[in-house]
Amino acid sequence: MGSNSSRISDLPKNEYLKKLSGTESISENDPFWNQLLSFSFPAPTSSTELKLLEEATISVCRSLVENNPRTGNLGALIKVFLSRTKELKLSAECQNHIFIWQTHNALFIICCLLKVFIYEMSEEELQLHFTYEEKSPGSYSSDSEDLLEELLCSLMQLITDIPLLDITYEISVEAISTMVVFLSCQLFHKEILRQSISQKYLMQGRCLPYTSKLVKTLLYNFIRQEKPPPPGAHVFSQQTDGGGLLYGLASGVATGLWTVFTLGSVGSKAAATPEFSSPLANQSLLLLLVLANLTDAPDAPNPYRQAIMSFKNTQDNSPFPSSIPHTFQINFNSLYTALCEQQTSDQATLLLYTLLHQNSNIRTYMLARTDMENLVLPILEILYHVEERNAHHVYMALIVLLILTEDDGFNRSIHEVILKNITWYSERVLTEISLGSLLILVVIRTIQYNMTRTRDKYLHTNCLAALANMSSQFRSLHQYAAQRIISLFSLLSKKHNKVLEQATQSLRGSLSSNDVPLPDYAQDLNVIEEVIRMMLEIINSCLTNSLHHNPNLVYALLYKRDLFEQFRTHPSFQDIMQNIDLVITFFSSRLLQAGAELSVERVLEIIKQGVVALPKDRLKKFPELKFKYVEEEQPEEFFIPYVWSLVYNSAVGLYWNPQDIQLFTMDSN
C-alpha cells in the first residue's frame, strides 16, 4: 500500500489506498492491484496501535463509502480476490509464495473494509455496495451473480478445501476472521437479529451445501491446535525496497500479539490479554459457536446447529438417516482429547456444553469413557477458582456437570476413580480421594461461595440438582466430603435461624409503626427453607440407597446430631426427617451401649456393624431424586450475547471500538 511507508499512521496518506477509495474507477485487470497487494509492515502489538489501525481504516472506508457508488472499486477488489482463489489450491501445491501472499493481502483489505462498512451502514446498504460497478453514478451490476454470496461461498471453499501448510496458515485464519466479520452486525444491535442478510446467505442457496464440510473443518482445526509457522517460515520476508506497507498483519495474527479488551458485564474480573498457541484453532472455534447459535430461519432450522447435533464417530458404521441433513463423521477420541485439554477457555467449555446437550452420539460416547477424570477435573478446576472466572464460564461448567450427573453410570463410576495429590485444592491436603468425593467438595464450595458473595438462585439450584442426582449413588465418601455436606447444612441452619429472628423482630416493630415498609423476610425464609429441604433430601437419598457404603457420612451425622433437632417437628421437614432421625437414634443407641471415650476407629467399626443390623424396611422410601437440565425457552437471549462477548474478547486480530458495541453493556470502570 505504499513502497516506503512502515507505520500505521501513514495509512490515511498512502497513495494506493487513496486511489482505491478515491473517485477514479479501477478495472479489475489493472496492474494497480498487484502494486496494492504487495504490502508489508510489522504487526501492531499494543491497543494504541490497534486503535490507530482502526482509525486509519475508518478514514479510508468512509472515502470508499462515498465514492464506491460511482467507482465500483469495492466490487473490483472482491473480483480480484475471487479470481485468485480459483488458483489458490494449485498455488499451495506448487508452493507459489508470492501468489498466496498477495491473495492473503487482498482478503485482509476486504476484511478491514467490511468491518467498518458493517458498522457504518445497514445490511441493505452494504448489499448495494456489492452491486455497484464502473458505470454511471449508482449503477448496478447486470450480472445475475450475487457478489456477496459468491464471496461467502469462496471463503467457505477456502477454509474447507485449501490444504493447511505453513504458507496457507495465515490466509486460512484470515478467511475465518472475515466470516466472523460478516456476521458481526449483531454486535451493533441490542436486539437479537433473526433474519439478517448474512444469515440468509449462509443458511440457503449456494452456501448451504458447504455446511457439514465447514463444521467438520472447524472442529478439526480445534482438535489439531495447529500452531502458526515459525517466523522464518512465513510466506514472505520483510522487504526494504519496493515493498509495501502492511507486512506483518498476517504474522501478527499468527503470533497472537493482538491486544483485546475485556467485556465487563460478563465477568467481575478484568481478563488478561489471551495468548493462544493456535490462532487458527481459536478463530475456528469462535466461528463455529457463532454459526451454531444463529437463529432459525422462518422456513428452515439452522443447518449448522443441525450438523453439530447429528455428526457421528468415524468408527460408527451405521448408515446416516435420510431424515437428518448435514451430518458427517469425525474422530470422537481426538475430539474428546482436545476438549479435555482446552477447558481453560470459555469457548471450549461452551463447545463441550453444546455437544453434550445437543449431540446424543457425543454424550453417549463420553459417558462410556473409562477416563472421565480427564474431562471432569478441568471442569472442577473452573468451579474451584470461581473467584477468578466470569459468571458465564462458571455456569457452563456447572451445567456440564449437571448433564453428566443425569446418568447413573457416571454417578457410580466417579466413586471408583481414585485420585492422588490434588495440588490445586488448597483448603486441605488431599493425598487420596475418589473423583466423586472431590466433585462433591467442589460443588459444596461453590454453593458456599455463592451464599456469601453472588447469592445467585440459579447457581444454587443447579449445584443442588447435581448433588441430588448423585446422592443415591454416593459410595465410600471421603471423611472430608462427608463433613462438608453436614457443614453446609449447618451453615444453612444458622442462616435460617437468623432470617427467622429478623422476621420476628420486624413483625414486632411493625406493631408500633405502620408507616415503615417491611422487608420481605417471608420470601427469604421460603427460599432458605427450599434449600434446606433439598439438602435433607440429598442426605436422606444417600442413607436410603447406600447407607452401607457411607460410614463416614453416618459418623458426620452423629457428630453434629444436634443440628437436626430443630427440624424434627418443623412442618416443612417432618416427612423427610423421619429416616435421618431413625439413623441418628439407632446408631446413637449402639454407641451408648459401647461405652464412653470411643476412638474414631472404634466408632466407625460400630457404625459398619450397625449398618448390617439396621432393618432396611424401617427406612421410608421416597421418590428418586432426578433433575434434568432444561434449556431456557429463548436460549438465544443468553447464548448469542455470550458468544459475541467471547468473540469480542478472544478473536485474534479483530478489534471493535467498545463504545460502538450495543449487544452487551461494557464495563465503565
Side-chain angles (χ1 to χ4, degrees), residues 8 41-45 49 247-253 255 257-258:
I8 297 173
F41 75 54
T45 57
E49 289 177 339
Y247 166 75
L249 285 174
S251 58
V253 169
T255 53
L257 294 174
W258 298 78

Side-chain angles (χ1 to χ4, degrees), residues 103 166 204 323 400 548 632:
T103 308
D166 280 357
Q204 58 190 40
S323 59
V400 165
H548 55 296
E632 300 290 331

Side-chain angles (χ1 to χ4, degrees), residues 71-133:
T71 65
N73 285 346
L74 175 66
L77 170 62
I78 290 169
K79 287 176 182 177
V80 168
F81 169 73
L82 291 174
S83 67
R84 286 173 167 272
T85 58
K86 293 179 173 66
E87 302 174 48
L88 202 56
K89 192 171 184 180
L90 180 61
S91 298
E93 293 170 357
C94 298
Q95 296 284 304
N96 189 336
H97 291 217
I98 299 297
F99 187 88
I100 294 171
W101 164 40
Q102 291 184 331
T103 308
H104 167 271
N105 288 349
L107 183 55
F108 174 78
I109 296 172
I110 291 168
C111 187
C112 288
L113 294 174
L114 277 176
K115 193 159 71 68
V116 180
F117 268 54
I118 286 168
Y119 168 67
E120 291 277 323
M121 63 188 68
S122 68
E123 281 196 299
E124 289 74 20
E125 291 174 289
L126 176 66
Q127 194 173 27
L128 277 178
H129 275 276
F130 275 79
T131 62
Y132 296 136
E133 64 175 7

Side-chain angles (χ1 to χ4, degrees), residues 308-310 355-365:
I308 285 171
M309 290 172 66
S310 59
L355 296 177
L356 275 174
H357 178 52
Q358 298 185 0
N359 190 312
S360 59
N361 299 322
I362 277 281
R363 186 167 59 251
T364 301
Y365 173 84

Side-chain angles (χ1 to χ4, degrees), residues 403-423:
I403 293 171
L404 292 174
T405 62
E406 291 171 12
D407 183 75
D408 284 339
F410 171 83
N411 295 331
R412 281 191 300 272
S413 65
I414 55 175
H415 293 286
E416 297 167 3
V417 178
I418 304 301
L419 308 168
K420 296 182 184 295
N421 300 317
I422 309 300
T423 54

Side-chain angles (χ1 to χ4, degrees), residues 517-530:
L518 293 176
D520 193 358
Y521 288 116
Q523 184 177 356
D524 291 347
L525 203 59
N526 184 54
V527 170
I528 194 79
E529 287 184 355
E530 282 181 11

Side-chain angles (χ1 to χ4, degrees), residues 410-442:
F410 171 83
N411 295 331
R412 281 191 300 272
S413 65
I414 55 175
H415 293 286
E416 297 167 3
V417 178
I418 304 301
L419 308 168
K420 296 182 184 295
N421 300 317
I422 309 300
T423 54
W424 49 262
Y425 194 96
S426 59
E427 274 86 345
R428 178 167 172 156
V429 176
L430 298 175
T431 54
E432 187 172 288
I433 189 171
S434 71
L435 179 60
S437 288
L438 181 64
L439 197 159
I440 292 165
L441 285 174
V442 173

